[in-house]
Amino acid sequence: VQLQASGGGLVQAGGSLRLSCVFSGRTISDYVMGWFRQAPGKEREFVAALGRRGSRTAYGDSVKGRFTISRDNAKNTVYLQMNSLEPEDTAVYRCAAALSFLSDYRAYGYWGQGTLVTVSS
């Protein structure tokens, strides 16, 4: 399995970005997909998870109501729409794949390389 994340960049507070993660090597619909982030000096943080069929979602408390995870299995792609961005959202965002629907990063066996999101105040 390979995961390739993209879409990060520099945005002002209050702005929006959409991250994409292209999945290859196996059948994406067999996997739960998740997004995690890690800011400098901080621990890895769960952002969002999405079930295989796209009907089950979970979000970290700090992004609820602002971020939306979605998937297009036909395009082998998972998205993270991020709205109302705050400086505290600045981090490297990584997509990941798992066989179980969990927010614990240890459940995710496959990881993308990460994309940097920087939110200026």
Side-chain angles (χ1 to χ4, degrees):
V1 172
Q2 291 186 328
L3 301 170
Q4 182 72 40
S6 62
L10 175 63
V11 63
Q12 289 188 331
S16 299
L17 279 176
R18 189 177 80 157
L19 305 183
S20 299
C21 175
V22 178
F23 178 104
S24 63
R26 297 251 178 110
T27 303
I28 190 173
S29 57
D30 289 342
Y31 292 85
V32 171
M33 300 300 296
W35 286 95
F36 293 78
R37 67 185 183 186
Q38 189 164 17
K42 294 187 177 181
E43 294 186 351
R44 184 164 14 188
E45 179 186 7
F46 169 73
V47 175
L50 182 62
R52 293 174 180 82
R53 298 180 181 179
S55 58
R56 185 179 182 185
T57 59
Y59 294 93
D61 288 342
S62 61
V63 306
K64 282 180 182 177
R66 300 188 299 122
F67 290 13
T68 302
I69 187 171
S70 62
R71 66 194 294 164
D72 185 337
N73 287 344
K75 295 183 178 180
N76 292 323
T77 304
V78 177
Y79 305 97
L80 185 68
Q81 178 66 44
M82 305 185 296
N83 298 329
S84 302
L85 283 162
E86 304 167 353
E88 293 73 23
D89 295 317
T90 295
V92 173
Y93 286 72
R94 299 179 71 186
C95 57
L99 295 176
S100 300
F101 191 90
L102 293 169
S103 61
D104 189 336
Y105 73 90
R106 291 169 293 184
Y108 291 76
Y110 302 100
W111 291 83
Q113 86 291 356
T115 185
L116 177 62
V117 172
T118 303
V119 184
S120 63
S121 57

